[in-house]
Amino acid sequence: MAQTNSFGQTSNGEADDSPNMLVYRKMEDLIARMQDEKTGIPIRTVKSFLSKIPSVFSGSDIVQWLVKNLTIEDQVEALHLGTLMAAHGYFFPISDHVLTLKDDGTFYRFQTPYFWPSNCWEPENTDYAVYLCKRTMQNKARLELADYEAESLARLQRAFARKWEFIFMQAEAQAKVDKKRDKIERKILDSQERAFWDVHRPVSVYGLQNDIRSHSPTHTPAPEAKQPTVEELQEQIKFWQAQLDRHRLKMSKVAEGLLGYTEQYADYDPFLSTPDPSNPWISDDTTFWELEASKEPTQSRVKRWGFRMDEVLKDPAGREQFLKFLESEFSSENLRFWLAVQELKRRPIREVPSRVQEIWQEFLAPGAPSAINVDSKSYDKTTQNVKDPGRYAFEDAQEHIYMLMKSDSYSRFIRSSAYQELLQAKKKVGPSTLSTKP
Amino acid sequence: NFCVIFITFEGFLSRAGEANFPLAKMAAQEVQPSETIAKLKSESEALKTKLEEERAKLHDVELHQVAEKVDPLGQFVMKTRRTLKGHGNKVLCMDWCKDKRRIVSSSQDGKVIVWDAFTTNKEHAVTMPCTWVMACAYAPSGCAVACGGLDNKCSVYPLSLDKNENLAAKKKSVAMHTNYLSACSFTNSDMQILTSSGDGTCALWDVESGQLLQSFHGHAADVLCLDLAPSETGNTFVSGGCDKKANVWDMRSGQCIQSFETHESDINSVRYYPSGDAFASGSDDATCRLYDLRADREVAIYSKESIIFGASSVDFSLSGRLLFGGYNDYTINVWDVLKGTRVSILFGHENRVSTLRVSPDGTAFCSGSWDHTLRVRE
């Protein structure tokens, strides 16, 4: 059968750390722990009628072991993990083709490492044909073919009619080798071989086992890393130097920041506080959405504007109120410029050059009707940019204006009587007569 | 010992084929003095080590220690409120519309479906000319969707109100990569799309003309995911790849401005914390991690001994307190972001969870799975 090196190594001998191998190794670590003499699952031989059932343990043994050793709080979770391990074929029910885990006295056996998925077996139909053929040669009731196996054998006989003699010979050879084994050993190996085929030729098309082997076309194996060039290394060095120069904050400060943010927004998080009047997905009532979309903002929406300027800029009603306030202070050109530049960046590239000219004329050109005040450095840079206009022509100016609004106008807006009255819900916001287009 | 006699010639031949050497490349590299390369390499490594030291110096406390003073979360009851059935194959990706109720989803068989998840009605369906449509996104206006996958492209379909209109006829090819499209996202406009690809790059495109506005090079392998920073002034985004790196990019210059490499396997999903100061990642190493941009390091790991399958997709609740992770073991784990503990495990899907997004107003989250269904939960 086609397979990679049995130690999960790629052809260049490096440890294969592809995503699948990572999971196999973790499961195999668990299996190793389960098989530990002292702390593992007790494996025993069970007497049954006239024979013995060697090397088994029960489904609940597995579940209990997982709960205890992986500190799992819920049996359901342990059962789920165990079922996935069974579907991969690491242990199997001795009397069933369907590889699932049951939390009861059903008997299970460990799979031999030779058949582990990490060996990347890709068994072919000829291999399966040899196996099924061999099974028919063994006169044991327990090895009788199941219906689906008999059907498969019939199909394979038709498909490989011309080389059936070859397949038959291989099956005979294997059966001969098997006969020489000790009876108990044979029982165990037969069951393990059957479990291997339960993984690779599962009984049902929709079984869990079938899905396990399915894979995504992504995670293509990384091409062997080429030696970096001198230029690439110089780029890397420049990058690390820039990173070293970066200003970093202490963890304690950063943690306070994260805590502060989540605390501030906890009331707005539908998973933490029930939305008012209800969560539409639970109640089937869309009132909450209608309120949020309304031009008349609720008190809680208005409160949110006070958290940070971005909240005002995100909410259309907030922008409207902020604009109104700025007009009363005769400084609305700042916000209108900021909005215009945002809108510029949303346009198709074809429209950008003409729009840049329009914005320049309106806000920055000498004698502009809505002249904004930017520092001379940004102004000079913008003047240059406008000559070869791109989407970021006004980036420096926009940043300067944003900072200005944030440190100055925004805090006055939040303290203004107009905002405070909205916050106390004393005043209702009617449909605005002002145009909000830049 | 078990003696197995299985012989296939194909296996033998493919092993031999891997032994060819790129002779031309070897010759070219012999021109560059190997001492210079070795010297530069060690300089680069030394700087990288120094950076790790500098980053570690400011690690005066753990996030979960500071979070001890925060009230613990109560018990959550999160039920499936809507199940969307209609895909005939694995669901690979989904995205919410800004109207908080519509969803676009894409699947392995090439179908892209637009649903009103609230009523569970299918509103539009398109069949792509390729399989494995791994990426899809809703336009901010709600009037178009973008999607792509093994066709190496990202295409935009305007959504027509006329049910009889053939959407496929209006399709516009926007992005062109040299390998599969892994993720796509509109910026805050219908006019620009950001894409990531198996070709190791990300790119920003002008939708109307298909022009490449900016490309982003720096990942050493397939890029699997991306997320745009949530700020109103934001010009940055984060990407994650098979090289185990998460990179933060400046959209204007195309430069990588920060890089994090602590995962032990592919990074399948990245998502910004709502304030934009941090982001979370989900990886095939079965962990989710939180990286803070101001601290410039990993600040939390979300993992459990019993979670051994990879995390395929992550997203935050509105306040950033909860992190939802969809995993390849069919479950969804809900994490307390601050305390680092798992608060809930959700079952229900019958195969891998491949995609997970919280709705724009945080009222619910939707998960898509290889079991062909999507579930909306609260």
Side-chain angles (χ1 to χ4, degrees):
Chain A
M1 281 187 279
Q3 60 160 149
T4 59
N5 176 300
S6 64
F7 299 109
Q9 290 176 329
T10 56
S11 53
N12 61 7
E14 283 169 9
D16 182 356
D17 56 1
S18 66
N20 280 342
M21 287 307 293
L22 215 63
V23 183
Y24 293 151
R25 277 208 290 272
K26 287 185 194 168
M27 285 194 279
E28 285 158 20
D29 283 343
L30 282 179
I31 293 290
R33 282 167 66 183
M34 283 185 201
Q35 290 176 325
D36 182 278
E37 266 176 34
K38 299 196 193 82
T39 57
I41 299 176
I43 305 174
R44 50 195 195 279
T45 300
V46 172
K47 289 214 172 72
S48 144
F49 300 128
L50 301 163
S51 64
K52 292 192 218 158
I53 307 177
S55 190
V56 290
F57 43 92
S58 75
S60 30
D61 284 343
I62 301 175
V63 175
Q64 288 316 309
W65 187 92
L66 287 170
V67 167
K68 187 168 153 215
N69 287 275
L70 293 182
T71 48
I72 297 177
E73 300 94 28
D74 190 354
Q75 302 252 109
V76 177
E77 205 189 327
L79 190 61
H80 182 79
L81 177 59
T83 301
L84 285 171
M85 292 180 72
H88 279 86
Y90 282 103
F91 45 76
F92 55 90
I94 60 172
S95 324
D96 199 345
H97 283 289
V98 179
L99 300 177
T100 185
L101 180 64
K102 294 200 190 123
D103 188 7
D104 57 19
T106 314
F107 288 130
Y108 290 80
R109 190 171 283 145
F110 282 117
Q111 179 59 283
T112 174
Y114 182 77
F115 282 135
W116 279 356
S118 51
N119 294 332
C120 298
W121 292 105
E122 301 282 331
E124 297 178 6
N125 283 330
T126 42
D127 304 320
Y128 192 42
V130 169
Y131 167 69
L132 289 175
C133 192
K134 177 177 76 169
R135 284 267 299 276
T136 61
M137 295 172 183
Q138 295 159 324
N139 285 327
K140 296 268 171 182
R142 64 176 167 84
L143 294 173
E144 228 173 59
L145 292 182
D147 287 342
Y148 81 96
E149 287 176 315
E151 276 170 35
S152 297
L153 181 58
R155 254 186 313 115
L156 290 165
Q157 276 174 323
R158 284 195 297 275
F160 295 127
R162 283 205 236 127
K163 49 173 161 176
W164 197 255
E165 205 181 310
F166 175 64
I167 289 174
F168 190 85
M169 270 165 50
Q170 288 209 321
E172 250 187 349
Q174 284 187 23
K176 225 170 160 182
V177 170
D178 286 352
K179 274 202 174 68
K180 293 193 181 137
R181 291 184 193 285
D182 159 73
K183 205 168 101 170
I184 297 283
E185 205 190 338
R186 262 188 79 181
K187 244 188 185 171
I188 297 175
L189 289 170
D190 283 345
S191 69
Q192 287 171 334
E193 195 183 7
R194 193 207 67 197
F196 171 80
W197 287 109
D198 285 340
V199 171
H200 292 274
R201 293 291 185 275
V203 49
S204 105
V205 181
Y206 301 108
L208 200 88
Q209 293 134 252
N210 211 29
D211 297 328
I212 291 289
R213 293 183 304 120
S214 200
H215 63 278
S216 164
T218 61
H219 311 285
T220 43
E224 301 203 12
K226 351 180 263 261
Q227 277 281 52
T229 63
V230 170
E231 291 81 29
E232 281 169 3
L233 283 168
Q234 283 167 340
E235 283 294 316
Q236 266 182 36
I237 289 170
K238 256 183 27 196
F239 178 75
W240 294 128
Q241 277 166 342
Q243 292 303 305
L244 274 164
D245 290 337
R246 165 187 297 281
H247 173 64
R248 271 170 220 93
L249 290 184
K250 269 198 296 199
M251 190 57 221
S252 44
K253 191 144 184 239
V254 154
E256 291 297 335
L258 292 169
L259 260 68
Y261 186 92
T262 51
E263 198 185 352
Q264 197 176 40
Y265 284 87
D267 287 339
Y268 294 85
D269 188 336
F271 280 95
L272 302 178
S273 348
T274 316
D276 183 18
S278 65
N279 186 319
W281 296 101
I282 301 178
S283 65
D284 285 344
D285 170 11
T286 59
T287 309
F288 176 67
W289 285 336
E290 285 152 28
L291 288 174
E292 287 295 301
S294 153
K295 284 199 158 46
E296 301 187 17
T298 56
Q299 210 178 353
S300 73
R301 244 168 94 188
V302 174
K303 184 174 168 205
R304 205 164 152 172
W305 300 346
F307 291 172
R308 46 184 50 80
M309 190 166 74
D310 274 11
E311 292 291 344
V312 175
L313 296 173
K314 262 187 344 199
D315 186 338
R319 285 200 296 272
E320 200 184 308
Q321 288 304 307
F322 193 30
L323 194 65
K324 237 167 131 178
F325 169 75
L326 289 173
E327 271 162 10
S328 73
E329 294 207 326
F330 303 103
S331 60
S332 69
E333 63 278 356
N334 285 341
L335 180 58
R336 284 190 291 118
F337 169 72
W338 188 87
L339 290 170
V341 178
Q342 287 296 88
E343 201 264 336
L344 165 73
K345 290 190 275 194
R346 292 187 187 127
R347 296 253 179 130
I349 198 87
R350 180 181 46 90
E351 295 175 16
V352 164
S354 59
R355 189 74 190 116
V356 166
Q357 290 306 322
E358 284 170 20
I359 293 176
W360 172 259
Q361 290 304 322
E362 175 74 18
F363 295 100
L364 286 158
S370 310
I372 55 170
N373 280 327
V374 287
D375 61 297
S376 53
K377 191 164 161 213
S378 305
Y379 191 83
D380 290 337
K381 216 161 170 207
T382 311
T383 314
Q384 285 297 100
N385 290 345
V386 170
K387 296 198 177 121
D388 183 15
R391 292 161 63 236
Y392 296 106
F394 299 109
E395 208 61 11
D396 293 309
Q398 194 194 26
E399 215 179 294
H400 178 90
I401 292 294
Y402 180 85
M403 289 302 167
L404 197 65
M405 287 195 296
K406 192 167 157 187
S407 58
D408 191 35
S409 324
Y410 171 68
S411 38
R412 283 206 307 280
F413 169 63
I414 296 303
R415 290 198 303 267
S416 74
S417 52
Y419 174 77
Q420 289 298 325
E421 277 167 34
L422 273 178
L423 191 61
Q424 316 295 338
K426 285 189 192 146
K427 204 158 96 170
K428 278 275 176 159
V429 181
S432 177
T433 51
L434 291 166
S435 165
T436 51
K437 274 175 92 173
Chain B
N1 284 323
F2 211 77
C3 177
V4 184
I5 314 164
F6 296 118
I7 305 165
T8 55
F9 271 103
E10 299 98 82
F12 179 78
L13 284 175
S14 69
R15 288 280 154 272
E18 275 158 45
N20 53 11
F21 298 100
L23 289 169
K25 214 189 276 180
M26 269 180 75
Q29 287 194 332
E30 268 164 10
V31 173
Q32 289 172 338
S34 50
E35 293 115 51
T36 320
I37 290 197
K39 207 176 109 212
L40 287 172
K41 249 190 173 174
S42 60
E43 193 183 336
S44 179
E45 290 299 314
L47 283 171
K48 192 174 171 191
T49 311
K50 187 142 184 266
L51 178 64
E52 289 311 314
E53 285 167 10
E54 289 300 311
R55 280 171 164 175
K57 275 186 191 160
L58 295 167
H59 189 63
D60 54 344
V61 73
E62 294 285 344
L63 176 60
H64 63 82
Q65 287 171 314
V66 177
E68 270 162 27
K69 60 186 175 190
V70 180
D71 286 337
L73 295 166
Q75 280 279 50
F76 285 96
V77 174
M78 290 184 206
K79 294 203 191 131
T80 300
R81 306 289 172 180
R82 303 288 190 277
T83 305
L84 305 179
K85 293 191 188 169
H87 275 294
N89 213 312
K90 306 179 173 67
V91 175
L92 303 176
C93 186
M94 58 86 36
D95 190 18
W96 288 91
C97 176
K98 281 206 159 51
D99 72 0
K100 308 155 193 177
R101 52 188 286 173
R102 283 178 173 73
I103 277 175
V104 61
S105 59
S106 63
S107 81
Q108 186 195 345
D109 61 3
K111 283 251 174 16
V112 175
I113 300 179
V114 174
W115 319 70
D116 176 349
F118 195 68
T119 58
T120 73
N121 288 338
K122 299 189 214 11
E123 297 193 333
H124 303 272
V126 170
T127 306
M128 291 276 285
C130 69
T131 57
W132 288 92
V133 185
M134 295 176 258
C136 64
Y138 225 119
S141 68
C143 298
V145 293
C147 50
L150 287 185
D151 58 351
N152 299 357
K153 294 194 234 165
C154 184
S155 308
V156 175
Y157 291 86
L159 296 176
S160 167
L161 289 171
D162 179 0
K163 291 286 158 72
N164 294 325
E165 195 171 350
N166 181 10
L167 287 184
K170 291 261 176 86
K171 165 180 162 181
K172 185 195 248 304
S173 253
V174 174
M176 213 80 84
H177 278 280
T178 54
N179 204 337
Y180 64 88
L181 188 83
S182 53
C184 64
S185 173
F186 285 88
T187 60
N188 51 17
S189 153
D190 281 21
M191 288 297 129
Q192 285 111 35
I193 285 190
L194 191 59
T195 58
S196 64
S197 165
D199 67 13
T201 70
C202 299
L204 182 68
W205 310 82
D206 178 67
V207 173
E208 194 199 51
S209 63
Q211 189 186 331
L212 173 67
L213 297 172
Q214 184 62 257
S215 69
F216 305 89
H217 297 261
H219 277 288
D222 307 21
V223 186
L224 297 177
C225 52
L226 59 84
D227 192 34
L228 278 149
S231 130
E232 287 303 296
T233 52
N235 275 331
T236 59
F237 73 95
V238 61
S239 65
C242 290
D243 57 357
K244 311 172 197 169
K245 290 206 202 130
N247 290 337
V248 180
W249 306 87
D250 178 331
M251 270 164 62
R252 188 179 163 191
S253 65
Q255 294 302 308
C256 173
I257 51 185
Q258 258 174 304
S259 186
F260 304 91
E261 193 176 351
T262 61
H263 271 294
E264 294 166 15
S265 187
D266 302 358
I267 297 178
N268 296 313
S269 174
V270 285
R271 196 72 67 209
Y272 271 94
Y273 179 80
S275 72
D277 294 323
F279 68 90
S281 58
S283 160
D284 274 337
D285 67 7
T287 69
C288 296
R289 298 180 195 227
L290 185 69
Y291 298 89
D292 189 286
L293 299 176
R294 299 155 306 172
D296 191 32
R297 61 198 307 276
E298 172 195 289
V299 299
I301 304 183
Y302 307 100
S303 68
K304 262 185 160 268
E305 223 185 335
S306 54
I307 302 176
I308 61 178
F309 286 80
S312 64
S313 52
V314 296
D315 204 356
F316 286 97
S317 71
L318 188 138
S319 65
R321 182 68 192 270
L322 300 174
L323 180 69
F324 300 99
Y327 289 74
N328 290 341
D329 65 2
Y330 318 176
T331 66
I332 292 166
N333 288 291
V334 185
W335 302 91
D336 179 331
V337 171
L338 304 176
K339 291 186 184 283
T341 53
R342 184 187 63 191
V343 295
S344 198
I345 177 170
L346 305 170
F347 298 96
H349 276 299
E350 293 166 15
N351 206 323
R352 285 195 196 194
V353 177
S354 52
T355 178
L356 187 155
R357 298 292 299 258
V358 172
S359 75
D361 63 353
T363 47
F365 71 88
C366 179
S367 57
S369 161
W370 280 18
D371 71 4
H372 310 185
T373 71
L374 294 123
R375 285 170 186 248
V376 178
R377 276 184 244 232
E378 206 299 335

